[in-house]
Amino acid sequence: MSKYRLDPLEELRLEKRHFREERKIASQRLSYQLQYLNDNWGSMLTKGVASSIKSKFSETMDNMSSVSSTSVTPFITKARNPWLHNTVTQIVLSNLPLIGSAAWNLAKPALIAFGAKKMTSILFGRRGRRKK
């Protein structure tokens, strides 16, 4: 028995049909993924910001609690300044870069989320809600 062989033109047609089917499936998959993003972008952004804040906070607390040679040692006190008699003020001022960096790492995701929320409210507004 001999096997049926396709001629080159039929092979190209079969391959073309196969690629059209693959493209159709990929298009449907992409449409589904875009619809999912459109429906859930707010919760995804909130979860991302919350996890980022949580990880930065725990990282900052770990850096403050653990003492190692590679990490920045918190609360380094400098020589006493005669104009600053308050010990707390001295500690805060001597560690201002560390405190500022930690505060910025904690506040940055919240500010980005706030900005994104404001931009979407400015762009899309309250079209559906009308006062009667």
Side-chain angles (χ1 to χ4, degrees), residues 1 5 24 36 52 68 75 78-79 83 87 91 99 114 130:
M1 277 186 119
R5 295 199 61 161
K24 185 178 178 182
Y36 178 82
S52 175
S68 65
F75 303 119
K78 294 182 179 178
W83 292 284
T87 312
I91 292 172
I99 294 169
F114 177 74
R130 304 220 182 227

Side-chain angles (χ1 to χ4, degrees), residues 27-46:
S27 174
Q28 289 173 348
R29 188 178 327 133
L30 180 62
S31 175
Y32 173 76
Q33 290 172 346
L34 288 175
Q35 184 64 38
Y36 178 82
L37 286 175
N38 189 30
D39 292 342
N40 299 310
W41 70 270
S43 63
M44 292 169 62
L45 180 66
T46 305

Side-chain angles (χ1 to χ4, degrees), residues 45-88:
L45 180 66
T46 305
K47 287 177 185 176
V49 168
S51 67
S52 175
I53 288 173
K54 183 179 176 184
S55 67
K56 290 294 182 182
F57 182 72
S58 64
E59 178 183 313
T60 303
M61 296 310 286
D62 288 342
N63 284 343
M64 287 184 173
S65 65
S66 66
V67 178
S68 65
S69 60
T70 59
S71 67
V72 177
T73 308
F75 303 119
I76 301 171
T77 56
K78 294 182 179 178
R80 188 170 182 141
N81 192 336
W83 292 284
L84 301 173
H85 299 292
N86 191 352
T87 312
V88 174

Side-chain angles (χ1 to χ4, degrees), residues 101-118:
S101 174
W104 176 246
N105 286 337
L106 290 173
K108 185 170 53 172
L111 291 173
I112 290 171
F114 177 74
K117 185 177 179 182
K118 283 295 183 185

